[in-house]
Amino acid sequence: MSTTHAQFSPLAKLLHWIMAPLILAMLFIGIGMVATVSHAHNTLIALHRPLGIALLLLVLMRAGVRIRRGSPPLPGDMPAWQRRMATLSHLALYVLMAAMPLIGWSMLSAGGYPVTLYGPWRLPPIMPHDVQLYALLRTLHTWLALALFLMVLAHIAAALFHALIRRDKVFSSMAQLPRL
């Protein structure tokens, strides 16, 4: 059951600030993977796959925390359309953060490629080997990566808007890191 709090929970903040640089790194690693044919390509793939699975686990934890604990209320003077945009954009971020690794894993499964986590540890395929499905999922993974990048930019812009223009408590509800 979701409740309302003045700030995000320490666990929600911790997950947010762990995931933020990892997602940015994943987006740039992904761009690097498709932009190079050098020896760096294999290194980038070896980073991208396990990081994707780690992010999938983190977003599932984060969604559970968000559902259980809720989020701080938005300022009462915020226009209704901005409230709707905030709700929809957060939903889109969660969907994209979960969809990207699942589609990547599905794509690799359809292509017959292993998802190696570390050394001999591999994930089982979740899709049948199918070259056409692989091509479709690869295209979808690319377009959703672009959508995720745009959503991240919009999220950062909204955070800066709240911090620098509105100067309300929206930014500080997530920006104050938890004490460990």
Side-chain angles (χ1 to χ4, degrees):
M1 183 69 61
S2 175
T3 56
T4 302
H5 301 278
Q7 292 206 348
F8 285 97
S9 71
L11 180 57
K13 291 178 186 183
L14 183 64
L15 289 169
H16 177 276
W17 292 110
I18 289 172
M19 290 180 69
L22 290 178
I23 288 170
L24 289 173
M26 284 295 285
L27 290 167
F28 287 105
I29 289 169
I31 291 168
M33 281 176 12
V34 299
T36 186
V37 292
S38 73
H39 70 286
H41 183 262
N42 289 339
T43 302
L44 294 173
I45 287 174
L47 286 170
H48 194 77
R49 292 175 182 174
L51 276 177
I53 298 305
L55 279 165
L56 176 60
L57 296 174
L58 289 169
V59 75
L60 292 174
M61 286 175 48
R62 190 165 167 195
V65 170
R66 179 79 180 248
I67 290 167
R68 186 166 175 260
R69 295 261 316 171
S71 61
L74 294 170
D77 65 340
M78 210 168 137
W81 71 269
Q82 285 183 1
R83 289 172 179 276
R84 280 192 297 278
M85 290 302 294
T87 300
L88 292 174
S89 67
H90 278 99
L91 178 61
L93 276 170
Y94 277 88
V95 167
L96 288 168
M97 288 186 298
M100 286 299 296
L102 287 171
I103 291 169
W105 184 3
S106 298
M107 173 188 73
L108 293 171
S109 297
Y113 300 106
V115 179
T116 303
L117 298 178
Y118 180 76
W121 296 349
R122 293 183 175 181
L123 294 178
I126 58 173
M127 287 288 167
H129 182 67
D130 180 333
V131 176
Q132 289 179 328
L133 180 59
Y134 170 79
L136 175 70
L137 291 170
R138 183 174 175 154
T139 300
L140 183 61
H141 194 67
T142 300
W143 283 104
L144 290 182
L146 177 60
L148 179 58
F149 185 68
L150 293 174
M151 288 302 303
V152 166
L153 290 177
H155 185 70
I156 292 169
L160 291 173
F161 173 74
H162 283 283
L164 303 174
I165 308 292
R166 283 190 55 98
R167 296 176 189 250
D168 54 24
K169 294 182 180 181
V170 171
F171 181 79
S172 65
S173 71
M174 182 56 82
Q176 294 175 342
L177 294 176
R179 297 200 189 279
L180 299 178

